Amino acid sequence: MMPDPSMSAWEPELRPRQTLWQRLDHGARRLLPSVFIALIIIFFSAPLTIPGSAELLPALVMATIFFWSFWRPSGMPGIAVFLLGLFMDLVGFTPLGVSAFILLLVHGVAFYARFGLMRLNFLLVWGVFGLVAIAACLLQWGLACLFRLDLLDIAPALFEALLAIGVYPLLSAMFSWVLHRMDEKEDP
Amino acid sequence: MIPVSIQMRQALGKLVLPLLVLLSLVILIAGQADRKLADQARMTVADGLAPLWGLITSVQTHVQGVSTSLREASRMASENTRLQTENENLRRWYDVAVSLTRENDALKTALHWIPEPTPAFVTGRVVADSGGIYARAVLLVAGTESGVKVGNVALAANGLAGRVTETGAHSSRILLITDIASRLPVLLEASHATAIMGGDNTAFPRLMYYAQETRPVEGERVVTSDQAGAFPAGLPIGTVHYLHPGQPVVLPFARLDHLPLLRVFDFGQGLIDPPEAPGHVPLAHPHKSTTLPLKTLLGQG
């Protein structure tokens, strides 16, 4: 039986070897969201005079991770989420591991529900993200209460969730544009 | 890469996320158990990031500086236009002043006006007065050596402060207009009515003995009067203010509770001696009796 000639394209051995430049390009594309988040963490942990920057940072990180985890999981693998969360904990003043834990949960929800989420229109995805953000902020608040053994004020947690819900459309539009540009370059 | 089957790789890939969650929980608990280690890790990271943060902060301060200077520039532009219009206005007034001075000179020449002598003055530093018989008096570091004489007039930066009552070689005591012993003849500038301004040891000396048909008006300027020859006319004192209905006081221009320096003027009032008139009997020496009532009293007692 003759092998189908069209199938040969699927053989991995017959793909042209990537040049160094291409590999660097691919790596940069995969690292782009993680680097973006790392820069945001460094920027917002600097002593800025922006009001609400303490709440804005987790909101931005959460929205970014959610978007990339369901839309392009190769750009936001679990290990990157873990390392970014740990970095956020080290730089900020949250107990070590809290952000890593919560961000991994956000990532997990988005990752396992991505086939369902991709079929929904934007408003529904936004609603799902809103629920996830509220749950994450409540969890963070609960953990903080647990570690302090004291009932803390819930208002900052809700403010953080609202900020996350508010920045999601902006970040989503920005990342969609970035993804579009990437895909355009990928197959000219 | 380690050769593993596709099934194995998929199984490992599914395990990664739960493992990471577990690891983060372990870190969470470990961080709570050993806080010192967690703090050390935090400080190491912070040390590493400190230069970056410094860069961000410096950029931030730079941006803030630029925005502040931009705002300042716009403010200065508006201020500049305001000053230019004011300058134009003032230039007009300058022309008016020059022409009025010319006219004044011309009129004085036409009238064969005898020019007034310019008063000599010395400036001294005020030191607090601890002793003395007055409640409101200050000590000036300028005495007879500097030409200060009893009865000279002391002016603060923008108004009358008092007059010299005692002099030493290097110091002189000045009775302020707020003292209870101070009684000055004054002129209400709007109505040209005379009154007596008497201190009562408060910050605002009272107006007394004004004519009933010309009551002091609120806000009216009060200047010295040359009645009794103690003061030259027209030195600014303050403005009229009614503390209560029927109780006019003077708000002095001079800030009498903060007097750093005082100028002591010798207007030469005592030198003006009226010429002898046949048949005229002076009741008392007008100058001494008005300026130093207490000193003469003390001298007698």
Side-chain angles (χ1 to χ4, degrees), chain A residues 25-96:
Chain A
D25 193 44
H26 268 269
R29 278 171 201 202
R30 289 178 66 132
L31 279 177
L32 179 77
S34 311
V35 169
F36 173 76
I37 293 179
L39 287 181
I40 276 190
I41 291 173
I42 293 173
F43 180 77
F44 275 94
S45 52
L48 296 173
T49 49
I50 302 171
S53 59
E55 283 86 11
L56 192 57
L57 170 63
L60 282 172
V61 172
M62 225 187 291
T64 312
I65 284 178
F66 185 83
F67 181 89
W68 286 92
S69 297
F70 93 82
W71 206 248
R72 191 61 62 93
S74 66
M76 187 57 73
I79 185 79
V81 174
F82 173 73
L83 289 177
L84 285 170
L86 209 58
F87 180 54
M88 209 164 117
D89 284 332
L90 282 172
V91 164
F93 289 94
T94 42
L96 214 57

Side-chain angles (χ1 to χ4, degrees), chain A residues 1-12 14-15:
Chain A
M1 188 177 152
M2 284 285 285
D4 191 350
S6 64
M7 285 296 283
S8 63
W10 294 97
E11 295 291 318
L14 294 182
R15 275 174 70 181

Side-chain angles (χ1 to χ4, degrees), chain B:
Chain B
M1 202 161 178
I2 312 157
V4 279
S5 69
I6 290 170
Q7 286 86 0
M8 189 74 176
R9 217 184 286 178
Q10 276 177 345
L12 278 178
K14 274 185 186 162
L15 266 180
V16 165
L17 197 57
L19 275 178
L20 285 173
V21 172
L22 213 62
L23 188 59
S24 66
L25 279 176
V26 168
I27 289 174
L28 197 59
I29 292 160
Q32 289 301 308
D34 191 354
R35 299 222 171 175
K36 209 174 263 181
L37 194 71
D39 286 341
Q40 215 169 0
R42 251 184 244 277
M43 285 326 292
T44 318
V45 173
D47 277 352
L49 286 176
L52 267 177
W53 284 334
L55 192 73
I56 291 170
T57 325
S58 75
V59 167
Q60 190 194 4
T61 37
H62 194 75
V63 167
Q64 272 173 351
V66 167
S67 74
T68 318
S69 50
L70 275 177
R71 231 175 300 141
E72 190 74 3
S74 72
R75 199 186 63 73
M76 267 164 73
S78 66
E79 180 80 6
N80 203 14
T81 49
R82 193 185 69 76
L83 285 175
Q84 270 172 353
T85 50
E86 191 179 328
N87 203 12
E88 265 172 40
N89 200 9
L90 287 177
R91 202 174 290 278
R92 233 176 0 252
W93 277 112
Y94 173 76
D95 291 340
V96 170
V98 165
S99 68
L100 282 179
T101 314
R102 296 252 169 78
E103 191 185 334
N104 211 357
D105 284 345
L107 288 174
K108 277 180 180 171
T109 321
L111 287 170
H112 302 290
W113 177 269
I114 298 160
E116 288 173 1
T118 43
F121 71 95
V122 290
T123 308
R125 189 170 292 282
V126 170
V127 291
D129 193 1
S130 51
I133 54 168
Y134 303 123
R136 297 278 183 273
V138 292
L139 210 59
L140 197 69
V141 190
T144 44
E145 299 253 305
S146 325
V148 176
K149 283 189 243 111
V150 170
N152 282 1
V153 178
L155 293 179
N158 42 12
L160 182 73
R163 58 198 150 144
V164 178
T165 55
E166 291 158 60
T167 50
H170 299 290
S171 68
S172 48
R173 178 162 292 133
I174 286 154
L175 175 69
L176 296 181
I177 54 175
T178 47
D179 190 271
I180 200 156
S182 167
R183 295 282 186 277
L184 303 182
V186 294
L187 194 72
L188 306 171
E189 210 172 45
S191 55
H192 283 279
T194 52
I196 295 287
M197 183 180 75
D200 53 359
N201 285 355
T202 65
F204 311 118
R206 284 184 295 157
L207 279 176
M208 301 178 291
Y209 309 128
Y210 46 87
Q212 288 302 306
E213 66 268 24
T214 51
R215 291 181 179 277
V217 183
E218 172 83 34
E220 192 176 8
R221 260 166 65 96
V222 178
V223 296
T224 54
S225 146
D226 57 355
Q227 278 190 348
F231 285 97
L235 297 177
I237 301 174
T239 52
V240 173
H241 174 62
Y242 277 89
L243 284 181
H244 305 289
Q247 195 190 337
V249 296
V250 177
L251 305 181
F253 289 132
R255 300 180 60 197
L256 295 171
D257 46 347
H258 302 100
L259 286 172
L261 295 171
L262 278 181
R263 288 171 297 162
V264 177
F265 281 80
D266 188 1
F267 287 99
Q269 293 292 109
L271 297 178
I272 305 171
D273 278 326
E276 289 293 323
H280 174 72
V281 184
L283 292 169
H285 196 281
H287 189 63
K288 275 202 167 164
S289 62
T290 49
T291 50
L292 300 167
L294 277 172
K295 187 155 193 183
T296 45
L297 273 176
L298 281 179
Q300 286 163 2

